[in-house]
Amino acid sequence: MFRRLVTWILGTLRLEVVGGDHGLLLGRAVAAGLTLWGMQRRGARLMATLTLSDFYRLPKLRRGTGCRIRIRGRQGLPFFLRDLRRRPAWVAGLAFVAGMLIWAAGHVWRVEVRITGPENLDRRAVLQVAADAGLAAGVWRTDFDPQRVATEIKGRIPEASWVVVRLTGTRAVIEVVEKAAQQAPQAAACINLYAKKDAVVEKVIPFQGESVVRPGQIVKKGDLLVECVLRYYAGGRPPVYPGTPMPPRTDIAHTVPVEARVKGRVHYEEYREVSLVQNVPVRTGESVQSWVLNWRGQPILELGAEGVPFEQAEEEARRLSLPVWRNWTPPVELVIRTTYEVNRRLEPLDLSDVVKEVESEFRARLNWLLGPTDQLATPLKVEVVEKGKDWAGVKVTVETLEEIGLPQEGAPPTTPPAQPRP
């Protein structure tokens, strides 16, 4: 195997020797140290194989033998490279394809999030934090540190108890083990469920623990929703007269970690005073221009005007660079900055446009606050409650259906809970 590889690198020729004294030619070749193999005699013809370097020594040995030498075959690296030089377009295409494969293999093209737990964590939040830490589709594999990304996610998302980032080819997998929001730690003596927002209780599902609220009840932030005990009637179920509520269970069977879901209607209200006029710049016709050559975002050459010669000005920048492919940005770009002199004047704004902008901003903040299982209970209501000469007061209200339970450690109760209002 090794010998075949060496002969392929050196290059071999298959020769046909016709006429003359074959024996004399072979004797001279052996005496000169030439290596011949694969020799075959076909009548008056002799077939043999030798390396390319030995072939160039053969013409001197052939003199006086009367033999004619014909080349019947060529193999090896020298002939392969010669063929490549004759086909520059094919070589360029091969080099381009190889370069693209190497370039594509050096990037991350897909980011997956795998969550283990009660699925309360939003995958979009994990992807956003990972992108802030440098991991997103289209980045170089060497431009981010998986350990740093995992640490950043765990530090900024408190619901994540364990995070690991793995690279598999051109795919990055973020595995997150979520903290069970309704699961008590093993070392905790008692975990109660408290309200994390002011709300009206809509639904209570106590998987484990004793509910102290009912649907329709108003709770404040910090109120107890589900306690960490199981209660019973020590003397048996008491008699209940029609129209009267059941008396509370006063005897504690044992303490248990709380596992429950409590849905509540949460009211949001925001009041904003917005301007009904805007300061609009008007160009005077005077301008200056400068050129900046950037390499990987850093300026390496600046030409043109320095500073801003106008008292009031606005700037426009036009960027020229190579075409962007997917998420890859070329390292070189030319920035043409044009600075215009402006005067400013006040122009009125349409009230409906201002109201739509306030609604859009409020909806964006609300979408970030809501969890994956939360939803709107009422449509978003936007109304103008005050209006001045150049301003307006806009109020936005909405009700949502959210998970309002927050587990916290506390001492086991020893007294009967307060009877929930029906």
Side-chain angles (χ1 to χ4, degrees):
M1 181 67 182
F2 179 74
R3 181 180 177 182
R4 292 180 60 185
L5 178 61
V6 172
T7 56
W8 184 86
I9 294 175
L10 296 176
T12 60
L13 293 169
R14 185 66 173 172
L15 304 181
E16 181 185 48
V17 182
V18 181
D21 189 351
H22 297 170
L24 180 58
L25 179 61
L26 291 177
R28 291 180 179 180
V30 172
L34 273 64
T35 303
L36 302 172
W37 68 91
M39 290 186 292
Q40 297 177 351
R41 185 178 293 277
R42 299 176 180 175
R45 299 179 180 182
L46 176 66
M47 305 295 294
T49 304
L50 76 167
T51 61
L52 181 61
S53 58
D54 289 345
F55 172 75
Y56 291 124
R57 300 165 58 190
L58 198 59
K60 294 182 180 180
L61 304 177
R62 183 182 64 86
R63 294 172 185 172
T65 62
C67 297
R68 298 191 306 274
I69 300 175
R70 299 172 183 173
I71 299 175
R72 295 304 185 187
R74 301 175 179 86
Q75 287 185 350
L77 182 61
F79 306 107
F80 177 74
L81 296 178
R82 184 193 63 180
D83 293 341
L84 290 183
R85 287 195 295 269
R86 295 177 179 176
R87 303 172 182 175
W90 188 84
V91 174
L94 181 62
F96 176 77
V97 171
M100 290 300 297
L101 289 176
I102 296 173
W103 179 84
H107 285 73
V108 174
W109 298 116
R110 185 177 179 183
V111 181
E112 296 182 3
V113 179
R114 299 176 183 175
I115 299 177
T116 303
E119 295 289 341
N120 292 325
L121 184 59
D122 193 347
R123 283 176 168 80
R124 296 173 299 176
V126 178
L127 291 174
Q128 182 60 48
V129 175
D132 295 341
L135 174 56
V139 301
W140 284 94
R141 292 166 57 96
T142 56
D143 285 352
F144 70 94
D145 181 12
Q147 184 62 36
R148 178 180 174 273
V149 175
T151 304
E152 186 76 10
I153 293 174
K154 189 174 180 180
R156 292 179 55 182
I157 301 180
E159 293 84 358
S161 63
W162 181 79
V163 181
V164 65
V165 179
R166 293 190 175 93
L167 287 177
T168 305
T170 59
R171 181 182 62 175
V173 180
I174 304 175
E175 296 185 11
V176 181
V177 176
E178 184 181 0
K179 294 179 181 177
Q182 284 76 32
Q183 297 289 340
Q186 295 294 332
C190 178
I191 297 294
N192 296 319
L193 200 64
Y194 297 90
K196 61 182 178 181
K197 295 180 180 180
D198 298 346
V200 178
V201 178
E202 189 77 13
K203 183 188 299 183
V204 182
I205 307 176
F207 303 109
Q208 191 167 265
E210 193 76 21
S211 174
V212 298
V213 294
R214 291 180 178 177
Q217 182 175 339
I218 299 176
V219 295
K220 299 292 185 181
K221 181 179 179 180
D223 287 353
L224 181 64
L225 303 178
V226 181
E227 60 179 352
C228 61
V229 295
L230 292 179
R231 296 179 180 271
Y232 71 103
Y233 295 109
R237 182 186 177 105
V240 179
Y241 297 97
T244 60
M246 287 286 294
R249 294 185 291 269
T250 58
D251 297 284
I252 299 177
H254 56 87
T255 302
V256 295
V258 167
E259 294 184 20
R261 296 188 65 184
V262 181
K263 288 280 190 177
R265 294 172 69 96
V266 182
H267 179 79
Y268 291 92
E269 182 175 316
E270 180 181 284
Y271 174 80
R272 290 180 58 184
E273 291 184 355
V274 293
S275 176
L276 296 180
V277 295
Q278 65 176 349
N279 199 338
V280 179
V282 180
R283 295 178 181 177
T284 63
E286 298 292 331
S287 65
V288 294
Q289 202 169 54
S290 62
W291 297 266
V292 180
L293 183 64
N294 292 335
W295 172 262
R296 296 189 180 276
Q298 300 297 326
I300 59 175
L301 180 64
E302 297 185 11
L303 299 174
E306 297 182 0
V308 180
F310 310 120
E311 183 178 353
Q312 298 185 31
E314 67 176 10
E315 184 181 271
E316 283 186 359
R318 187 159 60 101
R319 300 178 179 272
L320 304 177
S321 63
L322 297 174
V324 177
W325 192 80
R326 292 198 174 185
N327 291 332
W328 176 74
T329 303
V332 181
E333 68 172 354
L334 176 65
V335 182
I336 303 176
R337 291 196 179 99
T338 305
T339 304
Y340 299 93
E341 183 183 23
V342 297
N343 294 325
R344 299 187 177 275
R345 66 184 182 190
L346 295 177
E347 290 188 359
L349 293 174
D350 189 79
L351 181 59
S352 61
D353 295 337
V354 175
V355 171
K356 289 180 180 179
E357 184 178 356
V358 172
E359 179 183 357
S360 176
E361 293 178 358
F362 182 85
R363 191 181 296 275
R365 291 197 303 273
L366 186 63
N367 289 337
W368 181 256
L369 291 174
L370 296 182
T373 61
D374 301 336
Q375 57 186 350
L376 297 181
T378 60
L380 204 65
K381 183 179 180 181
V382 185
E383 55 182 343
V384 179
V385 295
E386 291 184 274
K387 187 175 181 182
K389 181 180 179 181
D390 55 358
W391 63 275
V394 182
K395 184 172 73 172
V396 185
T397 56
V398 69
E399 287 188 359
T400 61
L401 191 61
E402 302 181 28
E403 189 81 33
I404 62 172
L406 178 66
Q408 290 183 355
E409 185 175 357
T414 57
T415 57
Q419 178 68 19
R421 293 194 299 267

